[in-house]
Amino acid sequence: MSRQYVGRSQSDRKVSVSGELFALTYGALVAQLVKDYETDDEINKQLNKMGYNIGIRLIEDFLARFPDIGRCYDLKSTADILAKQGFKTFLGIVPLVANWNAKGDEFSLILEYNPLCDFVELSEDHPNLLYSNIICGVLRGALEMVQLDVDVWFVQDTLKGDDTTEIRLKLNKRLEDAVPAGED
């Protein structure tokens, strides 16, 4: 589990150690959920729920870091910002945006490398566990906060033997800006 840092600058080592700590901490969280819940479906729901709660808060931090990002008027620009800025900022990777459907309301994010999966081997006791399902929840929560109702799910996962990790997003509808009750 130890990594060599020969030839890396001090800042590169800090980022790498920080990423390793994040991956290990996330692994401990998933391990605890495996102990607390009986089925993979229950664990997957909890990871998605946790991700959703993170996403609805993380979007504020993202928009504060990138004040020049205006309102996205189409899903293609939203996908581009997600991949090139969102994933890069919070996970240090830039997934490929691909596999658009004909209507332009569904696409995939292809991750050649998933930093959450460092040091991970899935147990044969959990064949349906979606280890990185928290990412789906984060995307769903963050996009809901910018008025996009989406479904997000895994199509492929390197932990299950696939060459890449593919996350699929489908736009269900644009949400209307709602004014809280009593605040006309």
Side-chain angles (χ1 to χ4, degrees), residues 5 11 29 41 46 48 83 90 98 102 112 130 133 138 160 175 181:
Y5 298 105
S11 63
L29 169 77
D41 287 339
Q46 285 301 312
N48 195 294
F90 296 109
E112 295 292 326
L130 300 172
N133 207 37
V138 168
K160 298 195 182 225
L175 303 170

Side-chain angles (χ1 to χ4, degrees), residues 157-173:
D157 191 345
T158 54
L159 287 176
K160 298 195 182 225
D162 298 313
D163 292 333
T164 59
T165 298
E166 180 178 353
I167 300 172
R168 192 86 180 148
L169 284 89
K170 178 175 181 13
L171 175 64
N172 296 321
K173 64 181 177 182

Side-chain angles (χ1 to χ4, degrees), residues 57-76:
R57 289 167 181 79
L58 201 60
I59 190 67
E60 291 177 20
D61 181 52
F62 178 77
L63 294 173
R65 288 180 189 214
F66 299 99
D68 295 339
I69 292 178
R71 187 171 191 87
C72 293
Y73 291 100
D74 64 8
L75 194 58
K76 289 191 189 272

Side-chain angles (χ1 to χ4, degrees), residues 44-56:
N44 294 339
K45 284 179 188 171
Q46 285 301 312
L47 288 170
N48 195 294
K49 182 178 174 182
M50 289 174 165
Y52 175 84
N53 288 328
I54 292 168
I56 61 176

Side-chain angles (χ1 to χ4, degrees), residues 25-44:
T25 303
Y26 181 72
L29 169 77
V30 174
Q32 186 61 50
L33 289 174
V34 167
K35 290 178 186 174
D36 292 347
Y37 293 92
E38 294 181 16
T39 68
D40 290 349
D41 287 339
E42 291 175 311
I43 297 165
N44 294 339

